[in-house]
């Protein structure tokens, strides 16, 4: 019959501590209402992240010794869970911690306009920490998702999102270089901002003439490449297979009534580089 209040956090339910085993064991089944964990984050983690210059992954050793200090079996329900600029609505977390392995199950929650479910495993029981993630989302607003998590607002559209990933290593850098998994998206009725591919292709004739005559000074791509330019699409689907930190593009296809774009190549997540080729086809009957 626990009634807990810490600063602005309150909880009601049942909880217990078992001190008879090798490690203390915590148990709990709690309703926590609106849970805001932002005050416990570092100030930099509470702010919306702007686009940053590329930096290498951290090579600092991961310290997960705390996961070996207790065992736990906890169920937590919230009307909203806030972590800095991220809010999960109607989230329930079912977590177990046994012998240094944390299993966290979020069977359902709402975020970024969509409905989600996922699982996280952090295993500190072995010589090297291991992490695995499985997450799916439906009716997700991609602009809201990427804008909040990565400061990237150049892609809009609504659709499904799925990611599975696992890796191990003594640092974030090692884990990213050892990452395996798959990422897939299926977006509908959106736009790529900053680039108007159709307008760029319409300039192909003038570009050919300019190259033939040498009159390059008369070319103007400002309408095709500008903050106001957009490439609308009816669907944009991607499938990335990740192996040893490198994502191979199995599918990257954008379709609109006028054009289609097929992508191939690799995205090196560990090395933070990419090598992509985008092939564009035009429906000349399109208006």
């Amino acid at each position: 019959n626990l009634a807990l209040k810490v600063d602005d956090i309150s909880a009601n339910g049942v909880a217990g501590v078992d001190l008879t085993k090798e490690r203390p064991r915590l148990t709990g089944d709690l309703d926590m209402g609106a849970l805001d964990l932002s005050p416990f984050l570092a100030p930099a983690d509470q702010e919306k992240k702007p686009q940053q210059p590329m930096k290498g992954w951290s090579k600092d050793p991961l310290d997960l010794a705390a996961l070996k200090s207790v065992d736990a079996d906890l169920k937590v329900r919230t009307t909203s869970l806030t972590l800095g600029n991220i809010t999960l609505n109607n989230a329930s977390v079912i977590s177990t911690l046994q012998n240094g392995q944390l299993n966290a199950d979020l069977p359902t929650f709402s975020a970024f306009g969509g409905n989600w479910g996922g699982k996280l495993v952090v295993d500190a029981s072995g010589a090297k920490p291991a992490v695995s993630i499985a997450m799916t989302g439906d009716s997700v607003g991609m602009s809201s998702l990427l804008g909040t998590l990565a400061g990237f607002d150049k892609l809009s559209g609504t659709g499904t999102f799925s990611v599975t990933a696992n890796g191990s290593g003594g640092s974030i850098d090692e884990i990213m270089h050892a990452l395996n998994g798959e990422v897939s998206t299926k977006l509908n009725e959106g736009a790529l901002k900053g680039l108007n591919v159709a307008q760029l292709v319409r300039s192909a004739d003038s570009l050919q003439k300019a190259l033939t005559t040498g009159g390059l000074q008369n070319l103007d791509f400002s309408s095709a490449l500008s903050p106001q330019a957009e490439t609308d699409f009816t669907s944009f689907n991607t499938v990335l297979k990740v192996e040893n930190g490198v994502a191979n593009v199995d599918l990257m296809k954008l379709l609109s009534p006028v054009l289609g774009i097929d992508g191939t190549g690799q995205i090196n997540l560990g090395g933070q580089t990419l090598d992509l080729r985008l092939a564009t086809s035009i429906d000349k009957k399109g208006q």
Side-chain angles (χ1 to χ4, degrees):
N1 296 319
L2 177 68
L4 172 70
K5 187 169 181 63
V6 179
D7 295 331
D8 293 329
I9 295 175
S10 60
N12 293 280
V14 296
V17 181
D18 182 357
L19 302 176
T20 63
K21 305 293 175 59
E22 178 183 356
R23 288 180 301 276
R25 181 173 184 82
L26 310 178
T27 59
D29 190 341
L30 304 172
D31 285 303
M32 304 196 74
L35 179 59
D36 186 357
L37 298 180
S38 301
F40 302 99
L41 299 176
D45 293 329
Q46 299 184 45
E47 303 170 356
K48 185 174 181 178
K49 291 178 170 53
Q51 287 181 288
Q52 299 289 336
M54 293 296 290
K55 297 180 180 179
W57 300 108
S58 172
K59 296 183 179 180
D60 295 338
L62 291 173
D63 183 5
L64 301 178
L67 293 182
K68 303 177 184 179
S69 62
V70 297
D71 292 335
D73 188 350
L74 302 172
K75 298 179 182 178
V76 175
R77 288 169 295 279
T78 70
T79 55
S80 65
L81 174 61
T82 302
L83 291 163
N85 59 326
I86 300 173
T87 299
L88 313 181
N89 294 307
N90 299 317
S92 61
V93 182
I94 303 170
S95 60
T96 60
L97 177 58
Q98 185 73 35
N99 298 326
Q101 178 172 302
L102 172 66
N103 292 270
D105 186 5
L106 286 83
T108 179
F109 62 92
S110 300
F112 310 113
N115 301 311
W116 295 77
K119 295 183 178 180
L120 167 69
V121 177
V122 180
D123 190 352
S125 62
K128 285 188 176 181
V131 178
S132 66
I133 298 171
M135 191 76 69
T136 58
D138 185 40
S139 300
V140 178
M142 198 55 59
S143 178
S144 174
L145 174 69
L146 295 178
T148 300
L149 298 183
F152 181 79
D153 60 356
K154 302 301 182 185
L155 176 63
S156 66
T158 302
T160 62
F161 181 91
S162 174
V163 57
T164 60
N166 63 81
S168 63
S171 66
I172 297 296
D173 180 74
E174 288 185 9
I175 290 177
M176 293 305 297
H177 279 86
L179 206 61
N180 296 301
E182 180 176 302
V183 179
S184 65
T185 63
K186 292 183 178 181
L187 302 183
N188 301 311
E189 302 299 338
L192 287 170
K193 301 177 182 179
L195 169 66
N196 187 328
V197 175
Q199 182 66 37
L200 200 61
V201 173
R202 290 190 189 101
S203 304
D205 289 340
S206 60
L207 175 60
Q208 187 174 15
K209 292 177 182 177
L211 291 173
T212 303
T213 62
L216 295 175
Q217 69 275 10
N218 296 323
L219 286 175
D220 183 9
F221 293 114
S222 59
S223 61
L225 298 167
S226 71
Q228 292 75 36
E230 288 189 352
T231 298
D232 297 328
F233 58 79
T234 53
S235 67
F236 184 20
N237 300 333
T238 62
V239 177
L240 309 177
K241 295 285 183 63
V242 185
E243 185 174 353
N244 294 326
V246 178
N248 292 288
V249 179
D250 284 11
L251 173 68
M252 183 177 288
K253 182 179 288 291
L254 181 149
L255 295 175
S256 82
V258 178
L259 61 88
I261 300 177
D262 281 297
T264 58
Q266 292 183 332
I267 302 173
N268 189 331
L269 302 173
Q272 295 187 335
T273 62
L274 59 81
D275 181 6
L276 294 178
R277 178 179 184 270
L278 300 178
T280 304
S281 58
I282 299 296
D283 181 359
K284 294 184 178 180
K285 299 177 183 178
Q287 298 300 311

